[in-house]
Amino acid sequence: EILIDGVTIGRYDMSGGGMSEYSPGTDSIGEFKVQMTNYSAEYGGTSSAIVNFSLKSGTNQFHGTGFEYNKNPVFNAAGLLVNAFGGPKQNDKENNFGGTLGGPIRKDKTFFFASYEGDRFTSFAYSGLTTIPTPAMRTGDFSSFLGEQVGTDALDRPVYQNEIYDPTTTRTVGGQVVRDPFAYQGRLNVIDPAEFSTATSVLLPMFADPLFAGNKRNTPEFSGSTPVLRRDAVNIKMDHIINSKQKLSGMFGYYRRF
């Protein structure tokens, strides 16, 4: 279980989980504590481990920080393998930046602490080719896949290589399972767009056109599925001291990853 100032954020496997729905900026964290066993009854719903993060608070003096981390092939060493066998440097670029500001609103009573962290990461390391649907496929036209005749079915109809069939027409004829091929306006391997589901009709226009010709492996893939990553994390914490034994705290957090 992961908590921030005692508030549960999520439950994850500590060895492989993450905090993708909310992750405060690094400089906003004052301390953290990992408990594996012998934790109190307030954490009774957890059977493995607890990680409790505490956010920084403002003080009677104004304090601020700023930071910038930059990773760029211009600055990076080539590395052992590149030096030994040649080739380009790894083309990862990252700009991680942010800052904090904290101080009093009312001295000895009310304080604030604000932080921002941004991350801009790009990695255009070529990792092969992937397949995305062509404009014709997005309209239901798969006729370009259709190959030569490879036989006939139980109704003595020709069967072609890569022919696609309508699963709703499945039936048994003479002890053999047959289906009707998809056809639209007299063309085999073309699906009537009227049969598209609402979700399909909304999602298909979101596909970009492939960069290369062909039905398969028609678009280059760079660094998996996320060659570009942008992340912003904003945190504002307010503390008000009621008396020597009581304190009221509140936090606003905004996290965006895209």
Side-chain angles (χ1 to χ4, degrees), residues 137-253:
M137 294 179 200
R138 297 201 299 269
T139 64
D141 184 353
F142 294 86
S143 58
S144 58
F145 280 97
L146 206 61
E148 297 179 355
Q149 183 176 344
V150 293
T152 57
D153 65 7
L155 297 174
D156 205 31
R157 298 178 299 185
V159 175
Y160 297 93
Q161 187 178 22
N162 299 326
E163 193 171 10
I164 56 177
Y165 294 86
D166 184 350
T168 64
T169 63
T170 303
R171 59 197 184 277
T172 301
V173 176
Q176 296 185 30
V177 176
V178 297
R179 296 187 179 104
D180 295 335
F182 276 112
Y184 179 61
Q185 294 181 342
R187 298 180 62 203
L188 281 175
N189 261 32
V190 180
I191 302 172
D192 183 354
E195 296 188 32
F196 290 180
S197 68
T198 302
T200 299
S201 300
V202 172
L203 293 173
L204 282 177
M206 297 181 183
F207 280 95
D209 291 339
L211 297 181
F212 304 142
N215 294 327
K216 297 181 291 184
R217 298 175 60 80
N218 52 19
T219 296
E221 185 176 21
F222 298 95
S223 187
S225 61
T226 313
V228 179
L229 172 67
R230 295 171 60 89
R231 181 174 65 87
D232 296 294
V234 178
N235 254 75
I236 301 174
K237 183 179 180 182
M238 306 287 291
D239 296 287
H240 179 71
I241 298 176
I242 300 173
N243 53 48
S244 60
K245 295 183 179 180
Q246 295 178 310
K247 183 175 77 170
L248 183 65
S249 295
M251 186 269 287
F252 167 80

Side-chain angles (χ1 to χ4, degrees), residues 1-10 43 51-53 251:
E1 186 171 8
I2 298 175
L3 304 97
I4 297 181
D5 278 345
V7 178
T8 298
I9 298 299
Y43 306 120
V51 181
N52 201 338
F53 294 89
M251 186 269 287

Side-chain angles (χ1 to χ4, degrees), residues 2 27 41 53 58 61 123 125-126 131 134 172 203 205 217 240 254:
I2 298 175
D27 249 10
F53 294 89
Q61 294 182 329
S123 176
Y126 177 71
T131 301
T134 64
T172 301
L203 293 173
R217 298 175 60 80
H240 179 71
Y254 171 79

Side-chain angles (χ1 to χ4, degrees), residues 74 128 136 194:
V74 174

